[in-house]
Structures are given as structure tokens and as C-alpha cells.
């Protein structure tokens, strides 16, 4: 089975056939991590390039992401047998008062495909839940999303409480969302900001290396 | 000539020697009131009083009636949402064609959300009769996006566009009925946010195929009620401004655009509103930056047509008070410079 076919299926959003393609690749002797990296992730990265160039928009990205997720869900059980795939743990969520989850879900899927164990806290996540997650999951990174100018300041609340509880040194913080930017990230003391899902993966890799 | 008349004439494309300053200040006013925001936003009397007092304090223009989510709630309240929970707001309840059959009947005269808005409008008209009242009403396609869950809406646009069109059709008349009620209560301007349908989110092709027809129909019905209409081009619209400016809006509230180009191309026929960046300038900029941006916007836009000065999106609740004062001062100074 050619990885190119899997990559094309993800990029074109062929969610009906992705599981069959992955199964055939496994039967053909490919390892799960190889299928994820060279098939699923490569396809999603290609979709991301189309998004950056203005050829794809959110509907196309969501269908690619849905296809990616189906493939990942199928392969993730097999991955446990392979050692050394997971590169770190990331807790992700949309901050309190904000119910937008499209961007957050895209970033979560891309991070998972890139080899991060992703714990998705969902939407409208209180500062306290983010803080609790540090004790429960021991993440390397907390990733927060906000789409509203009325909720973006809740990101600062999370960072401040991490510091107040003496947890700030244990975890990196990255942020994203339509209303935030690098200047805002610097202002609230986040470790990084990314403009889109593919940049979020690069940022997470940088933060993990730095820690 | 009173303020309200001046502002409505501005939207009609007539310069009156005055530049209205109209921030979308609903959450800002709620925060400014000093009361818990949740309490203010859910109580029509507290909300109306906050909006009235805040406007008077800063001396900007326009009163904002809290955003209308009544149609989604009325049609979908109590139905199961994508999380498997009973929805209070009607968000994310139309996930399949079958769920369309479960929607409730809409009765504008029995809608509690509209009742609250009408109560707020009455207070505003009593206390500030010379200020125009704006209200936020989403387009049928935007409302469909909310009720279908935005992710599902986007995916269905490609996988099952007829389903999306059917949902939009089902939602349109209840929205029109609501607008008629709001018009009778005394609203002057409908402000139509279309954030999910911008070039940041969907392609021009999908916009034309699925959303535009219902937008144009809805706009026509709003205008038949004698209301002015402002569309908020939130996000990137550069590849489809020609469509938006041809949809019968009296004003277009822009953001993230080439402001000079938009004013030059469309300012003669349509009132332009904007364009102070809400977060980097209004929230985090210095008073001087706000003044320079606002003054520049006024001078640029008035070269081509009429203009309403405003942040480019909803005004964040934590905007420094000095920045609002500088925004208002810039509009006054621009009039001085241009002449009445």
C-alpha cells in the first residue's frame, strides 16, 4: 500500500475509505507509526498548505481533519505495541466563556498526528480545570484557544494561577485563536502563539525541545 | 437636526457635518456598570440601564440591544445537542435531517427573549429618544450554522449542501417575524454579523452557492420593515466585497481589510463603518495610537462618502476609558478639519 494514497485520502477528505486504506497498509507490513507519519500526517500537512495558500477553507480542513481522526482512531490501538511514538503530552481546551471549538479541534488532531498525546478538556474550560489537569495528566504543554475579545483575558488568568500555585515551571503554555497574537502572548506571559494548526505543531515541537 | 436623524442620514449616504461614533459596546457597557456581567447580560432592565448610562458617560452614539438568539432557542430549546445534553439555546441541535422534524413552532409574540429585548427598547426610547437603537440579528445562514453546530454546518456544506439549504429555509421566516416585532418596538438599525461566512472561514464559491440567496432575501425583508441594515464583514472579505456591497446593506462595518481601497471602491454608495482594530489598538494601544488611527479613518473615509467611526468588531469589555475618549475626540477633530 502506497502511503501516497493515504495522504491523498486525508487531503481530499475521503473519510469513507481511510480505515480500509490503513488496514491494507498494516496488512502490507507498514508499521502504525509509519502510516501515521508518512500517510495521515503528510496528507494533513498538505491540506494545511492548501489552507495557507487560500485554496482550502474551514469546511475542507474539517473534512480532512475528520478523515485524519478516523485513521488515527483505527491505528492508535496498534501504536501501544510500538515504543517511543508519543513525544509528549498536551492538554488542550477553549477558555471559560468561549464555546468555539473548530480551531481547537483542528489543532488537537494535528498535534495527535504529530505524535503528541492530546488530552482535550473541551470548551468553556475554567482556569481551575486547566490547573487541575496539570496534577492529573502531568502535561508538557497547556494549549488554550479563545475566539472572543471578551474571553481572551481568561488565558491570562490561567497563567497567573499556574504561577500562584507554583506550577508555572512544570508546564509550557501556548495560545491561539482569532483574537490573539504574539504581542498578546508576550503580554500575558505565554510561552508561544501560533496562527494556525500546522504552526501549532511546530511550536509544540519547539517548546518540547526547549524543556 | 437631532443626533438620531443625523445618524440615520449618515447611513443613507448624506453627510450632515457630524461623524457618528458607534462602538458595539454591549459587553463593554455591562462591565462598565460595575455589576456582575452575567447578571447584567441576562436581565433586560439592568442591561438597558447599563447601555444608556455608559453611552451618556462617554458621549458616543447609538444604543445596542443585546444580541438576539431567540429564534435558535425558540426552535431548538430542549432538544438534544451534540454533547447529548438538553439544549437551552438551540445550539447544535440540528445534526441530521431527522432532527429538523423535531424543531418547535416559532411564535414571535410568545418569545421570552424578544420580550426582554422589547422591554430594553422601551427603556431606551423613553430615556434616550434622540439616539438610534441598533440590534444584532444574525443572518439565516449564520443562525443555521449555530443550530447545526458550526463544524457540522461546514462539513455539510460540502457533503450535503441541500441539507444546509433546507435548514436555512426553515429558519428564515422565524427570523423575519422577529425583525418585524423588533421594528414595531422601535429598533432603527439591524446589525448583521456574519463571522462564520467570511473569507476567513468559507470559500467565495460556497458563500455564493449556499448563503447569498438567503442573505439577500433576508436583507430585503429587513428593509421592507423600514429598518436600516449594517452588515459586519468580520474577518477577511477582500475576495467577496463586491458581493457584500451588492446585497442591499445601508452600511458595511469592515475589519481586516484594505480600508482605503474599500472606501475608494464602495464608499460613494454605502456608508462605511469601522475600522479601529478592537484588540491591538482599542484594548492594548495607547490613547495616542487610538487617536491617530481613528482620525486617519475619518479623513480617509470621508474623502469618498459617509462614515461611522467604530472599533472593527465588538468593543472588548476591558478597553481603557481614555481610549474611548480619544476615539470620540478624533471624530470631532476630523469634522473641524473637514468642515461642517
Amino acid at each position: 500500500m502506497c502511503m501516497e494514497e493515504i495522504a491523498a485520502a486525508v487531503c481530499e477528505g475521503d473519510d469513507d475509505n481511510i480505515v480500509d486504506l490503513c488496514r491494507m497498509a498494516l496488512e502490507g507490513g507498514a508499521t502504525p507509526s509509519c502510516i501515521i507519519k508518512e500517510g495521515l500526517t503528510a496528507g494533513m500537512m498538505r491540506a494545511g498548505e492548501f489552507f495557507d495558500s487560500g485554496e482550502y477553507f474551514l469546511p475542507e480542513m474539517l473534512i480532512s481533519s475528520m478523515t485524519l481522526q478516523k485513521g488515527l482512531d483505527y491505528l492508535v490501538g496498534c501504536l501501544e505495541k510500538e515504543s517511543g511514538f508519543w513525544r509528549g503530552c498536551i492538554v488542550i481546551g477553549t477558555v471559560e466563556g468561549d464555546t468555539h471549538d473548530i480551531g481547537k479541534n483542528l489543532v488537537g488532531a494535528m498535534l495527535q498526528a504529530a505524535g503528541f498525546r492530546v488530552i482535550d478538556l473541551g470548551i468553556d474550560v475554567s482556569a481551575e480545570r486547566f490547573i487541575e489537569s496539570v496534577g492529573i495528566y502531568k502535561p508538557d504543554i497547556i494549549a488554550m484557544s479563545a475566539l472572543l475579545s471578551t474571553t481572551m483575558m481568561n488565558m491570562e488568568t490561567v497563567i497567573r494561577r499556574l504561577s500562584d500555585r507554583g506550577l508555572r515551571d512544570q508546564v509550557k503554555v501556548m495560545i491561539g485563536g482569532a483574537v490573539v497574537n504574539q504581542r498578546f502572548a508576550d503580554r500575558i506571559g505565554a510561552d508561544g502563539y501560533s496562527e494556525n494548526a500546522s504552526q501549532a505543531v511546530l511550536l509544540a515541537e519547539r517548546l518540547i525541545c526547549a524543556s | 437636526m437631532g443626533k438620531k436623524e443625523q445618524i440615520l442620514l449618515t447611513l443613507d449616504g448624506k453627510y450632515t457635518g457630524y461623524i457618528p461614533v458607534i462602538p458595539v459596546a454591549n459587553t463593554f457597557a455591562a462591565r462598565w456598570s460595575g455589576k456582575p456581567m452575567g447578571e447584567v447580560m441576562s436581565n433586560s432592565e439592568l442591561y438597558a440601564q447599563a447601555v444608556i448610562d455608559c453611552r451618556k458617560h462617554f458621549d458616543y452614539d447609538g444604543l445596542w440591544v443585546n444580541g438576539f438568539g431567540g429564534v435558535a432557542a425558540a426552535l431548538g430549546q430542549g432538544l438534544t445537542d451534540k454533547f447529548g445534553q438538553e439544549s437551552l439555546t438551540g445550539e447544535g441541535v440540528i445534526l441530521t435531517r431527522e432532527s429538523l422534524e423535531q424543531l418547535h413552532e416559532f411564535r414571535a409574540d410568545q418569545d421570552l427573549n424578544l420580550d426582554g429585548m422589547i422591554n430594553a427598547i422601551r427603556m431606551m426610547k423613553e430615556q434616550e429618544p434622540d439616539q438610534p437603537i441598533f440590534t444584532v440579528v444574525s443572518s439565516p445562514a449564520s443562525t443555521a450554522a449555530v443550530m447545526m453546530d458550526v463544524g457540522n454546518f461546514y462539513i455539510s456544506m460540502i457533503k450535503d449542501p441541500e441539507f444546509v439549504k433546507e435548514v436555512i429555509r426553515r429558519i428564515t421566516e422565524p427570523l423575519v417575524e422577529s425583525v418585524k416585532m423588533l421594528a414595531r418596538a422601535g429598533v432603527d438599525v439591524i446589525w448583521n454579523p456574519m463571522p462564520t461566512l467570511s473569507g476567513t472561514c468559507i470559500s467565495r464559491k460556497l458563500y455564493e452557492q449556499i448563503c447569498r440567496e438567503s442573505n439577500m432575501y433576508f436583507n430585503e425583508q429587513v428593509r421592507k420593515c423600514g429598518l436600516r441594515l449594517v452588515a459586519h464583514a468580520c474577518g477577511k472579505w477582500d475576495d467577496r466585497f463586491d458581493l457584500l456591497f451588492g446585497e442591499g446593506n445601508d452600511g458595511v462595518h469592515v475589519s481586516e481589510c484594505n480600508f482605503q481601497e474599500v472606501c475608494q471602491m464602495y464608499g460613494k454608495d454605502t456608508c462605511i463603518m469601522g475600522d479601529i482594530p478592537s484588540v491591538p489598538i482599542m484594548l492594548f494601544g495607547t490613547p495616542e495610537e487610538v487617536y491617530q488611527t481613528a482620525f486617519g479613518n475619518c479623513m480617509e473615509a470621508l474623502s469618498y462618502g459617509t462614515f461611522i467611526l467604530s472599533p472593527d468588531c465588538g468593543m472588548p469589555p476591558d478597553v481603557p476609558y481614555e481610549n474611548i475618549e480619544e476615539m470620540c475626540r478624533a471624530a470631532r477633530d476630523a469634522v473641524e478639519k473637514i468642515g461642517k
Side-chain angles (χ1 to χ4, degrees), chain A residues 74-152:
Chain A
Y74 174 71
L75 292 169
V76 83
C78 312
L79 265 179
E80 304 303 332
K81 295 170 194 162
E82 273 190 70
S83 59
F85 179 75
W86 300 116
R87 305 157 73 181
C89 175
I90 299 178
V91 163
I92 192 168
T94 305
V95 297
E96 187 165 18
D98 204 324
T99 57
H100 295 89
D101 64 357
I102 289 177
K104 184 260 299 171
N105 292 345
L106 276 174
V107 170
M110 292 280 279
L111 288 169
Q112 196 179 2
F116 294 98
R117 193 163 71 92
V118 175
I119 310 293
D120 188 349
L121 299 182
I123 55 173
D124 192 18
V125 179
S126 67
E128 209 46 46
R129 278 191 66 210
F130 276 114
I131 305 300
E132 284 168 7
S133 76
V134 177
I136 298 169
Y137 304 108
K138 311 276 186 271
D140 300 285
I141 297 173
I142 287 179
M144 291 186 281
S145 168
L147 238 80
L148 303 172
S149 57
T150 49
T151 59
M152 60 194 279

Side-chain angles (χ1 to χ4, degrees), chain A residues 2 27 39 56 64-65 69 82 95 103 112 114 116 128 139-140 162 176 183-185 201 208:
Chain A
C2 176
E27 287 166 1
Y56 272 17
S64 288
S65 167
Q69 196 64 55
E82 273 190 70
V95 297
Q112 196 179 2
F116 294 98
E128 209 46 46
D140 300 285
L162 282 171
R183 188 175 168 193
F184 179 70
V201 172
I208 291 278

Side-chain angles (χ1 to χ4, degrees), chain B residues 124-192:
Chain B
M124 289 171 179
K125 283 171 70 76
E126 278 172 13
Q127 294 186 44
E128 294 248 68
D130 195 29
Q131 283 295 330
I133 299 174
F134 287 66
T135 191
V136 184
V137 179
S138 293
S139 67
S142 286
T143 307
V146 167
M147 292 198 74
M148 290 179 71
D149 174 65
V150 180
N152 178 43
F153 174 82
Y154 285 148
I155 289 168
S156 301
M157 280 181 131
I158 291 178
K159 288 196 165 259
D160 193 356
E162 287 309 313
F163 173 40
V164 177
K165 286 184 186 174
E166 197 177 331
V167 177
I168 291 173
R169 275 195 293 274
R170 183 72 186 270
I171 286 168
T172 301
E173 287 311 320
L175 278 172
V176 171
E177 285 308 306
S178 305
V179 167
K180 286 178 182 169
M181 287 277 285
L182 292 168
R184 283 197 289 273
V187 158
D188 299 290
V189 183
I190 298 291
W191 187 83
N192 179 2

Side-chain angles (χ1 to χ4, degrees), chain B residues 317-335:
Chain B
D318 298 307
V319 163
Y321 299 165
E322 262 186 302
N323 287 0
I324 299 173
E325 288 156 9
E326 287 303 286
M327 171 174 66
C328 296
R329 188 168 74 86
R332 289 194 300 269
D333 287 358
V335 168

Side-chain angles (χ1 to χ4, degrees), chain A residues 15 57-59 101 184 187, chain B residues 82 150 154 159 199 201-202 284:
Chain A
D15 62 314
F57 292 78
L58 284 179
D101 64 357
F184 179 70
R187 188 185 180 103
Chain B
K82 69 168 179 173
V150 180
Y154 285 148
K159 288 196 165 259
C201 301
I202 67 169
F284 293 129

Side-chain angles (χ1 to χ4, degrees), chain A:
Chain A
M1 168 60 55
C2 176
M3 292 300 146
E4 172 54 29
E5 282 181 64
I6 293 176
V10 171
C11 186
E12 290 160 19
D14 184 4
D15 62 314
D16 290 335
N17 291 313
I18 193 68
V19 170
D20 285 342
L21 290 170
C22 290
R23 183 185 301 120
M24 283 190 271
L26 279 177
E27 287 166 1
T31 62
S33 60
C34 174
I35 299 169
I36 291 174
K37 283 175 191 163
E38 294 176 25
L40 299 177
T41 307
M44 197 66 213
M45 295 304 280
R46 199 178 301 164
E49 285 164 16
F50 285 150
F51 182 76
D52 290 342
S53 67
E55 194 170 331
Y56 272 17
F57 292 78
L58 284 179
E60 294 82 2
M61 286 296 283
L62 281 174
I63 291 177
S64 288
S65 167
M66 188 168 73
T67 308
L68 165 77
Q69 196 64 55
K70 274 192 177 178
L72 282 174
D73 290 346
Y74 174 71
L75 292 169
V76 83
C78 312
L79 265 179
E80 304 303 332
K81 295 170 194 162
E82 273 190 70
S83 59
F85 179 75
W86 300 116
R87 305 157 73 181
C89 175
I90 299 178
V91 163
I92 192 168
T94 305
V95 297
E96 187 165 18
D98 204 324
T99 57
H100 295 89
D101 64 357
I102 289 177
K104 184 260 299 171
N105 292 345
L106 276 174
V107 170
M110 292 280 279
L111 288 169
Q112 196 179 2
F116 294 98
R117 193 163 71 92
V118 175
I119 310 293
D120 188 349
L121 299 182
I123 55 173
D124 192 18
V125 179
S126 67
E128 209 46 46
R129 278 191 66 210
F130 276 114
I131 305 300
E132 284 168 7
S133 76
V134 177
I136 298 169
Y137 304 108
K138 311 276 186 271
D140 300 285
I141 297 173
I142 287 179
M144 291 186 281
S145 168
L147 238 80
L148 303 172
S149 57
T150 49
T151 59
M152 60 194 279
M153 298 310 286
N154 292 332
M155 294 173 159
E156 185 179 28
T157 306
V158 173
I159 294 173
R160 200 173 54 243
R161 288 201 193 164
L162 282 171
S163 299
D164 293 346
R165 309 276 175 90
L167 299 170
R168 186 66 184 90
D169 293 339
Q170 294 178 27
V171 65
K172 299 285 185 188
V173 176
M174 57 190 270
I175 65 168
V179 291
V180 302
N181 56 22
Q182 186 60 53
R183 188 175 168 193
F184 179 70
D186 295 341
R187 188 185 180 103
I188 65 172
D191 297 298
Y193 154 81
S194 65
E195 193 178 328
N196 57 41
S198 43
Q199 283 182 23
V201 172
L202 299 176
L203 173 62
E205 286 169 348
R206 274 205 311 276
L207 292 176
I208 291 278
C209 286
S211 63

